[in-house]
Amino acid sequence: MQAVREWLREASSIAVLTGAGVSAESGVPTFRGGAAGTPGLWKQYRAEELATPGAFARDPKLVWEWYDWRRSLIAEAKPNPGHYALAAAEARAAKFTLITQNVDGLHELAGSRNVLRLHGSIWMLRCLECQREREDRRTPLPEIPPRCECGGTLRPGVVWFGEALPSKVWQDAEKAAREADLFLLIGTSAVVYPAAGLAPIAKSSGARVVEINIAETGLSDGIDEFLQGKSGELLPQLMA
Ligand code: BJW
Ligand code: ZN
């Protein structure tokens, strides 16, 4: 912990990748488990079965029910001390890029500014017909699946399996990882690509890599420091 504090002070360029674990303490369920007793499942479905274009084409109502449920939880959620510690760290650092896989918007609510959202936003809706995007924060949605004025079906403005990440966002994330001298990997199972490739990119470009998680992941070997614990507790201690 002391060494990592020192690295944070010394670093001139910091990049951070966060996953669902940073929002767990805000009451937002993770995808693949986390704290014992929160299996990350909704009605027996796994993210891999619902977060795909194929699942949406087959059963838009089922997929929207999952998103509507998650939107209602996220609408009630507040940033936790981990989100606030990252926002405070950005305010102090020369260069700080917060790359997140989360679609909940809690980093922005906590005050983080330079945020790259790799997987979109759960508050954005996009029409399958006219492609128009709009923000819609209503929960529950009045109609499922929701419809566009053009009559087309709206889908969540997120990135599903098999879909490309927004290319400019991804390019910026890769650049931040390459240029970082300190890379923090926080609350992600690091199984979903290309996001999971960012820490190895940072490492091979010379950055120190620090992971914060309640449990080890496939990337934990070969990094510089693993801090085991909840991000909502460890991050405020680190940034104090
Ligand atoms: C705590 C904690 C606490 C709990 N404190 N910690 C290379 C190899 C193999 C496969 C692929 C590959 N490249 C691409 C693929 C395919 C696929 C993929 O990665 N599959 C793997 C599963 C094998 N990837 C894709 O399809 C991606 N697209 C792509 O590659 O496109 C290529 C392409 C190019 C050109 C044209 C077309 C295509 C897209 C991936 C999209 C992922 N989408 C989702 C849904 C987003 C919308 C939504 O929210 O519904 O993103 S899936 C889901 O997983 C979501 C998450 O962002 C993502 C990652 O999950 P995350 O955040 O890591 O959460 P968990 O639950 O897994 O982990 C929580 C962690 O927190 C755990 O470790 C806990 O221990 C920890 N924790 N409490 C600290 N308090
Ligand atoms: Zn439309």
Side-chain angles (χ1 to χ4, degrees):
M1 177 72 99
Q2 200 45 49
V4 179
R5 278 210 190 92
E6 198 56 46
W7 296 346
L8 273 164
R9 258 195 302 274
E10 284 169 7
S12 52
S13 179
I14 301 172
V16 182
L17 175 69
T18 65
V22 290
S23 294
E25 290 156 85
S26 295
V28 182
T30 62
F31 295 94
R32 297 170 189 83
T38 55
L41 289 174
W42 175 78
K43 296 186 182 174
Q44 314 304 322
Y45 295 98
R46 298 179 312 124
E48 285 76 2
E49 295 168 66
L50 293 167
T52 74
F56 191 72
R58 269 191 304 278
D59 197 342
K61 187 162 172 289
L62 173 77
V63 173
W64 260 119
E65 279 168 356
W66 182 49
Y67 280 95
D68 204 40
W69 170 74
R70 289 174 55 209
R71 285 163 58 99
S72 68
L73 292 179
I74 293 168
E76 297 297 317
K78 293 182 180 58
N80 66 58
H83 294 108
Y84 287 114
L86 288 170
E90 175 176 5
R92 274 181 301 194
K95 188 162 174 245
F96 192 99
T97 309
L98 180 43
I99 308 161
T100 188
Q101 300 168 85
N102 298 346
V103 299
D104 56 28
L106 291 179
H107 286 301
E108 290 90 337
L109 261 185
S112 285
R113 287 168 171 274
N114 192 19
V115 182
L116 297 176
R117 278 200 306 251
L118 294 180
H119 294 162
S121 165
I122 202 158
W123 302 117
M124 295 302 291
L125 272 52
R126 188 168 74 244
C127 176
L128 292 180
E129 294 299 323
C130 70
Q131 307 301 324
R132 211 167 70 82
E133 279 206 291
R134 86 252 8 243
E135 192 181 52
D136 188 336
R137 292 186 168 258
R138 289 175 298 173
T139 80
L141 283 164
E143 184 193 11
I144 282 183
R147 303 252 169 227
C148 178
E149 302 85 75
C150 82
T153 303
L154 292 165
R155 59 161 282 176
V158 300
V159 180
W160 285 329
F161 287 111
E163 296 184 319
L165 274 55
S167 64
K168 173 77 166 75
V169 175
W170 172 250
Q171 280 166 22
D172 289 350
E174 223 181 352
K175 182 164 184 281
R178 267 199 315 271
E179 292 177 354
D181 36 42
L182 181 62
F183 188 94
L184 307 180
L185 182 66
I186 310 173
T188 174
S189 57
V191 295
V192 173
Y193 284 83
L198 288 170
I201 289 172
K203 183 79 194 139
S204 64
S205 311
R208 286 187 172 116
V209 177
V210 175
E211 180 175 36
I212 298 175
N213 201 306
I214 54 172
E216 287 196 5
T217 69
L219 293 181
S220 305
D221 287 340
I223 59 163
D224 295 282
E225 191 71 44
F226 176 77
L227 300 177
Q228 183 161 20
K230 295 182 175 179
S231 52
E233 293 169 7
L234 290 179
L235 283 170
Q237 290 172 32
L238 264 185
M239 310 298 181

Coordinates of all heavy atoms in Angstrom, one line a residue, residues 159-213:
V159 N -22.6 -1.6 -25.6 CA -21.9 -2.5 -26.5 C -22.1 -3.9 -26.1 O -21.8 -4.3 -25.0 CB -20.4 -2.1 -26.5 CG1 -19.6 -3.0 -27.5 CG2 -20.2 -0.7 -26.9
W160 N -22.7 -4.7 -27.0 CA -22.9 -6.1 -26.7 C -21.8 -7.0 -27.2 O -21.0 -6.5 -28.1 CB -24.2 -6.5 -27.3 CG -25.4 -6.0 -26.6 CD1 -25.5 -5.8 -25.2 CD2 -26.7 -5.7 -27.1 NE1 -26.8 -5.3 -24.9 CE2 -27.5 -5.3 -26.0 CE3 -27.3 -5.7 -28.4 CZ2 -28.9 -4.9 -26.2 CZ3 -28.6 -5.3 -28.6 CH2 -29.4 -4.9 -27.5
F161 N -21.8 -8.2 -26.8 CA -20.8 -9.2 -27.3 C -20.9 -9.3 -28.9 O -22.0 -9.3 -29.4 CB -20.9 -10.6 -26.7 CG -20.5 -10.6 -25.3 CD1 -21.4 -10.8 -24.3 CD2 -19.2 -10.5 -24.9 CE1 -21.0 -10.8 -22.9 CE2 -18.8 -10.5 -23.6 CZ -19.7 -10.7 -22.6
G162 N -19.7 -9.3 -29.5 CA -19.7 -9.4 -30.9 C -19.7 -8.0 -31.6 O -19.6 -7.9 -32.8
E163 N -20.0 -6.9 -30.8 CA -20.1 -5.6 -31.4 C -18.8 -4.8 -31.2 O -18.1 -5.0 -30.1 CB -21.2 -4.8 -30.8 CG -22.6 -5.4 -31.1 CD -23.7 -4.6 -30.6 OE1 -23.7 -4.1 -29.5 OE2 -24.7 -4.5 -31.3
A164 N -18.4 -4.0 -32.1 CA -17.2 -3.2 -32.0 C -17.4 -2.1 -30.9 O -18.5 -1.6 -30.8 CB -16.9 -2.5 -33.3
L165 N -16.3 -1.8 -30.2 CA -16.4 -0.7 -29.2 C -16.3 0.6 -30.1 O -15.8 0.6 -31.2 CB -15.2 -0.7 -28.3 CG -15.3 -1.6 -27.0 CD1 -15.7 -3.0 -27.4 CD2 -14.0 -1.6 -26.2
P166 N -16.9 1.7 -29.5 CA -16.8 3.0 -30.3 C -15.3 3.3 -30.6 O -14.5 3.3 -29.7 CB -17.4 4.0 -29.3 CG -17.6 3.3 -28.0 CD -17.5 1.9 -28.2
S167 N -15.0 3.5 -31.9 CA -13.6 3.4 -32.3 C -12.7 4.5 -31.7 O -11.6 4.3 -31.3 CB -13.5 3.3 -33.8 OG -13.9 4.5 -34.4
K168 N -13.3 5.8 -31.6 CA -12.4 6.8 -31.1 C -12.2 6.6 -29.6 O -11.1 6.9 -29.1 CB -13.2 8.2 -31.3 CG -12.6 9.4 -30.7 CD -11.3 9.9 -31.5 CE -10.9 11.3 -31.1 NZ -10.2 11.4 -29.8
V169 N -13.2 6.2 -28.9 CA -13.1 5.9 -27.5 C -12.0 4.8 -27.2 O -11.1 4.9 -26.4 CB -14.4 5.5 -26.9 CG1 -14.3 5.1 -25.4 CG2 -15.5 6.6 -27.0
W170 N -12.1 3.8 -28.1 CA -11.1 2.7 -27.9 C -9.7 3.2 -28.2 O -8.7 2.9 -27.5 CB -11.5 1.5 -28.8 CG -10.4 0.5 -28.8 CD1 -9.5 0.1 -29.8 CD2 -10.0 -0.3 -27.6 NE1 -8.6 -0.8 -29.3 CE2 -8.9 -1.1 -28.0 CE3 -10.4 -0.4 -26.3 CZ2 -8.2 -2.0 -27.2 CZ3 -9.7 -1.3 -25.4 CH2 -8.7 -2.1 -25.9
Q171 N -9.5 4.0 -29.3 CA -8.2 4.5 -29.7 C -7.6 5.3 -28.5 O -6.5 5.2 -28.2 CB -8.3 5.4 -30.9 CG -8.4 4.6 -32.2 CD -8.8 5.5 -33.4 OE1 -8.6 6.7 -33.3 NE2 -9.3 4.9 -34.4
D172 N -8.5 6.2 -27.9 CA -8.0 7.0 -26.8 C -7.6 6.2 -25.6 O -6.7 6.5 -24.9 CB -9.1 8.0 -26.4 CG -9.3 9.1 -27.5 OD1 -8.5 9.2 -28.4 OD2 -10.3 9.9 -27.4
A173 N -8.4 5.1 -25.4 CA -8.1 4.2 -24.2 C -6.7 3.5 -24.4 O -5.9 3.4 -23.5 CB -9.2 3.2 -24.0
E174 N -6.5 3.0 -25.7 CA -5.3 2.3 -26.0 C -4.1 3.3 -25.8 O -3.1 2.9 -25.3 CB -5.4 1.8 -27.4 CG -4.8 0.4 -27.6 CD -4.9 -0.1 -29.0 OE1 -5.5 0.6 -29.9 OE2 -4.3 -1.1 -29.2
K175 N -4.3 4.5 -26.3 CA -3.2 5.5 -26.2 C -2.9 5.8 -24.7 O -1.7 5.9 -24.3 CB -3.7 6.8 -26.9 CG -2.7 7.9 -27.0 CD -3.1 8.9 -28.1 CE -2.1 10.1 -28.3 NZ -2.2 11.1 -27.2
A176 N -4.0 6.0 -23.9 CA -3.8 6.3 -22.5 C -3.0 5.2 -21.8 O -2.1 5.4 -21.0 CB -5.1 6.6 -21.8
A177 N -3.3 3.9 -22.2 CA -2.6 2.8 -21.6 C -1.2 2.7 -22.0 O -0.3 2.5 -21.2 CB -3.3 1.5 -22.0
R178 N -0.9 3.0 -23.3 CA 0.5 3.0 -23.8 C 1.3 4.1 -23.1 O 2.5 3.9 -22.9 CB 0.5 3.3 -25.3 CG 0.5 2.0 -26.1 CD 1.0 2.3 -27.6 NE 0.4 3.5 -28.2 CZ -0.8 3.5 -28.8 NH1 -1.5 2.4 -29.0 NH2 -1.3 4.6 -29.3
E179 N 0.7 5.3 -22.9 CA 1.4 6.4 -22.4 C 1.5 6.5 -20.9 O 2.2 7.3 -20.3 CB 0.8 7.7 -22.9 CG 1.0 7.8 -24.4 CD 0.3 9.1 -25.0 OE1 -0.4 9.8 -24.3 OE2 0.5 9.3 -26.2
A180 N 0.7 5.6 -20.2 CA 0.7 5.7 -18.7 C 2.0 5.2 -18.1 O 2.6 4.3 -18.6 CB -0.5 4.8 -18.2
D181 N 2.4 5.9 -17.0 CA 3.5 5.3 -16.2 C 2.9 4.5 -15.0 O 3.6 3.7 -14.4 CB 4.6 6.2 -15.8 CG 4.1 7.6 -15.5 OD1 3.1 7.7 -14.8 OD2 4.8 8.6 -16.0
L182 N 1.6 4.7 -14.7 CA 0.9 3.9 -13.7 C -0.4 3.6 -14.2 O -1.2 4.4 -14.7 CB 0.8 4.7 -12.4 CG 0.1 4.0 -11.2 CD1 1.0 2.8 -10.8 CD2 0.0 4.9 -10.0
F183 N -0.8 2.3 -14.2 CA -2.1 1.8 -14.6 C -2.8 1.1 -13.5 O -2.2 0.1 -12.9 CB -1.8 0.8 -15.8 CG -3.1 0.4 -16.5 CD1 -3.6 1.1 -17.6 CD2 -3.9 -0.6 -16.1 CE1 -4.8 0.8 -18.3 CE2 -5.1 -1.0 -16.7 CZ -5.5 -0.3 -17.8
L184 N -4.0 1.5 -13.2 CA -4.7 0.8 -12.1 C -5.9 0.0 -12.7 O -6.6 0.5 -13.6 CB -5.3 1.9 -11.2 CG -4.4 2.9 -10.5 CD1 -5.2 3.8 -9.6 CD2 -3.3 2.2 -9.8
L185 N -6.0 -1.2 -12.3 CA -7.0 -2.1 -12.8 C -7.9 -2.4 -11.6 O -7.5 -3.1 -10.6 CB -6.3 -3.4 -13.3 CG -7.0 -4.6 -13.9 CD1 -7.6 -4.1 -15.2 CD2 -6.1 -5.7 -14.1
I186 N -9.2 -1.9 -11.7 CA -10.0 -1.9 -10.5 C -11.4 -2.6 -10.7 O -12.2 -2.2 -11.5 CB -10.2 -0.5 -10.0 CG1 -8.9 0.3 -9.9 CG2 -10.9 -0.5 -8.6 CD1 -9.0 1.7 -9.6
G187 N -11.7 -3.6 -9.9 CA -13.0 -4.2 -9.8 C -13.5 -4.8 -11.2 O -14.7 -4.6 -11.5
T188 N -12.6 -5.4 -11.9 CA -13.0 -6.0 -13.1 C -12.5 -7.5 -13.1 O -11.3 -7.7 -12.7 CB -12.5 -5.3 -14.4 OG1 -12.9 -6.1 -15.6 CG2 -11.1 -5.0 -14.4
S189 N -13.3 -8.4 -13.6 CA -12.9 -9.8 -13.7 C -11.8 -10.0 -14.8 O -11.2 -11.0 -14.9 CB -14.1 -10.7 -14.0 OG -14.7 -10.3 -15.1
A190 N -11.7 -8.9 -15.7 CA -10.7 -8.9 -16.8 C -10.8 -10.2 -17.7 O -9.8 -10.7 -18.1 CB -9.3 -8.9 -16.2
V191 N -12.1 -10.5 -18.0 CA -12.3 -11.6 -19.0 C -12.9 -11.1 -20.3 O -12.9 -11.8 -21.3 CB -13.2 -12.7 -18.4 CG1 -12.6 -13.4 -17.2 CG2 -14.6 -12.2 -18.0
V192 N -13.3 -9.9 -20.3 CA -14.0 -9.4 -21.5 C -13.0 -8.5 -22.3 O -12.4 -7.5 -21.8 CB -15.3 -8.6 -21.2 CG1 -15.8 -7.9 -22.4 CG2 -16.3 -9.5 -20.6
Y193 N -12.8 -8.9 -23.5 CA -11.9 -8.2 -24.4 C -12.6 -7.3 -25.4 O -13.8 -7.5 -25.6 CB -11.0 -9.2 -25.3 CG -10.0 -9.8 -24.4 CD1 -10.3 -10.9 -23.6 CD2 -8.7 -9.3 -24.4 CE1 -9.3 -11.4 -22.8 CE2 -7.7 -9.9 -23.6 CZ -8.0 -10.9 -22.8 OH -7.0 -11.4 -22.0
P194 N -12.0 -6.2 -25.9 CA -10.6 -5.8 -25.8 C -10.2 -5.1 -24.5 O -9.0 -4.9 -24.2 CB -10.4 -4.9 -27.0 CG -11.7 -4.3 -27.2 CD -12.7 -5.3 -26.8
A195 N -11.2 -4.8 -23.6 CA -10.9 -4.0 -22.4 C -9.8 -4.7 -21.6 O -8.8 -4.1 -21.1 CB -12.1 -3.8 -21.5
A196 N -9.9 -6.1 -21.4 CA -8.9 -6.8 -20.6 C -7.5 -6.7 -21.2 O -6.5 -7.0 -20.5 CB -9.4 -8.3 -20.5
G197 N -7.4 -6.3 -22.4 CA -6.0 -6.2 -23.0 C -5.3 -4.9 -22.6 O -4.1 -4.8 -22.9
L198 N -6.0 -4.0 -22.0 CA -5.4 -2.7 -21.8 C -4.2 -2.8 -20.7 O -3.2 -2.1 -20.9 CB -6.4 -1.7 -21.3 CG -7.4 -1.2 -22.4 CD1 -8.5 -0.4 -21.8 CD2 -6.6 -0.3 -23.4
A199 N -4.4 -3.5 -19.7 CA -3.4 -3.6 -18.6 C -2.1 -4.3 -19.2 O -1.0 -3.7 -19.0 CB -3.9 -4.4 -17.4
P200 N -2.2 -5.3 -20.0 CA -1.0 -5.9 -20.7 C -0.4 -4.9 -21.6 O 0.9 -4.8 -21.7 CB -1.6 -7.1 -21.4 CG -2.8 -7.5 -20.6 CD -3.4 -6.3 -20.1
I201 N -1.2 -4.1 -22.3 CA -0.6 -3.0 -23.2 C 0.2 -2.0 -22.3 O 1.3 -1.7 -22.7 CB -1.7 -2.3 -24.0 CG1 -2.3 -3.2 -25.0 CG2 -1.2 -1.0 -24.6 CD1 -3.6 -2.6 -25.7
A202 N -0.4 -1.6 -21.2 CA 0.3 -0.6 -20.4 C 1.6 -1.2 -19.8 O 2.7 -0.6 -19.9 CB -0.6 -0.2 -19.2
K203 N 1.5 -2.5 -19.4 CA 2.7 -3.2 -18.8 C 3.8 -3.3 -19.8 O 5.0 -2.9 -19.5 CB 2.3 -4.6 -18.3 CG 3.3 -5.4 -17.6 CD 3.5 -4.9 -16.2 CE 4.8 -5.4 -15.6 NZ 5.5 -4.4 -14.8
S204 N 3.4 -3.7 -21.1 CA 4.5 -3.9 -22.1 C 5.0 -2.5 -22.6 O 6.1 -2.5 -23.2 CB 4.0 -4.8 -23.2 OG 3.0 -4.1 -23.9
S205 N 4.3 -1.4 -22.3 CA 4.8 -0.1 -22.6 C 5.6 0.5 -21.5 O 5.9 1.7 -21.6 CB 3.7 0.8 -23.1 OG 2.8 0.2 -24.0
G206 N 5.8 -0.2 -20.4 CA 6.6 0.3 -19.3 C 5.9 0.8 -18.1 O 6.6 1.2 -17.2
A207 N 4.6 0.7 -18.1 CA 3.9 1.2 -16.9 C 4.0 0.2 -15.7 O 4.1 -1.0 -15.9 CB 2.4 1.4 -17.2
R208 N 3.9 0.7 -14.5 CA 3.6 -0.1 -13.3 C 2.1 -0.4 -13.4 O 1.3 0.5 -13.6 CB 4.0 0.6 -12.1 CG 5.5 0.7 -11.8 CD 5.7 1.3 -10.5 NE 7.1 1.2 -10.1 CZ 7.9 2.3 -9.9 NH1 7.3 3.5 -10.0 NH2 9.1 2.2 -9.6
V209 N 1.7 -1.7 -13.1 CA 0.3 -2.0 -13.0 C -0.1 -2.5 -11.6 O 0.6 -3.3 -11.0 CB 0.0 -3.1 -14.1 CG1 -1.4 -3.6 -14.0 CG2 0.4 -2.7 -15.5
V210 N -1.1 -1.9 -11.1 CA -1.6 -2.2 -9.8 C -3.1 -2.6 -9.9 O -3.9 -2.0 -10.6 CB -1.6 -1.0 -8.9 CG1 -2.2 -1.3 -7.5 CG2 -0.1 -0.5 -8.7
E211 N -3.4 -3.8 -9.3 CA -4.8 -4.2 -9.4 C -5.4 -4.2 -8.0 O -4.8 -4.5 -7.0 CB -4.8 -5.7 -9.9 CG -6.2 -6.3 -10.0 CD -6.2 -7.7 -10.6 OE1 -5.3 -8.5 -10.3 OE2 -7.2 -8.0 -11.3
I212 N -6.7 -3.7 -8.0 CA -7.5 -3.7 -6.8 C -8.7 -4.5 -7.0 O -9.5 -4.2 -7.9 CB -7.9 -2.3 -6.4 CG1 -6.6 -1.4 -6.1 CG2 -8.8 -2.3 -5.2 CD1 -6.9 0.0 -5.8
N213 N -8.9 -5.6 -6.2 CA -10.0 -6.5 -6.4 C -10.2 -7.3 -5.1 O -9.3 -7.5 -4.4 CB -9.8 -7.4 -7.6 CG -11.1 -8.0 -8.2 OD1 -11.9 -8.6 -7.5 ND2 -11.3 -7.8 -9.5

